Amino acid sequence: MAEPVSAPAVLLDQDGIQQVVKRLADELSARYDDGLVLVAVLRGSVPFLADLVRAMSIRTTVDFVALSPYAPGTGRVRLVMDAATSVEGRDVVIVEDIVDTGLTAAFLLSELGRRNPKSVSLCTLVDRPARRIVPVDLDFVGLEVEDHFVIGYGLDFDGRYRNLQVLATADPATLANDPDAYLSLYGA
Ligand code: 5GP
């Protein structure tokens, strides 16, 4: 008999996402009225970045970094693709999909901080403080969530669900059993 699918919960629908993005874009535009370098972390932050940058009313440069996924327990993160833009003397904001353990955020804040930017801070769509290993200052937060796995709007499971229009919680055990268990969210 098939395992029952644990029901997903929509955290943000399309309107909710756009409201959060607009608020963050306004906060960033007000704080950095002299321009900004946005450094987005591939690949989960791409939909968020695309909406965020278009909702901003200041001069921005967009660049990307990619990191190696860390092996659980090691806490080691490595740059596999660096940004091409020089951040020296510039205000920089790292754009993340979700800050979970904080390892990615802490690594990037330190790495970009060594390049003599005017300032470096962090903007994340989702903050999940429950599993934090490294404390990080999050300057711009879209939504704080409880200890749930999150999919949609860039966030994936095994490469799936990045193009969902909503942000939803999903049960990791259900996904491990059937990675397509939440396909119904495409109609949400
Ligand atoms: P960190 O643990 O370093 O804060 O987060 C590393 C990365 O793990 C995030 O950028 C994200 O790609 C992935 N991640 C962490 N939590 C979740 C989650 O709930 N859902 C998904 N889809 N990815 C997550």
Side-chain angles (χ1 to χ4, degrees), residues 70 96-104 128 148-150 155-156:
Y70 49 83
E96 277 219 71
D97 51 357
I98 182 167
V99 176
D100 177 24
T101 64
L103 289 166
T104 305
R128 185 173 58 216
H148 299 298
F149 188 74
V150 181
L155 288 134
D156 75 317

Side-chain angles (χ1 to χ4, degrees), residues 41-45 67 70 77 96-106 126 128 131-133 136 145 148-152 154-158 160 162 168:
V41 185
L42 291 172
R43 292 174 254 178
S45 67
L67 299 162
Y70 49 83
V77 182
E96 277 219 71
D97 51 357
I98 182 167
V99 176
D100 177 24
T101 64
L103 289 166
T104 305
V126 182
R128 185 173 58 216
R131 303 200 315 157
R132 195 76 91 244
I133 293 173
V136 275
V145 298
H148 299 298
F149 188 74
V150 181
I151 55 172
L155 288 134
D156 75 317
F157 176 79
D158 200 21
R160 296 161 167 86
R162 288 196 200 277

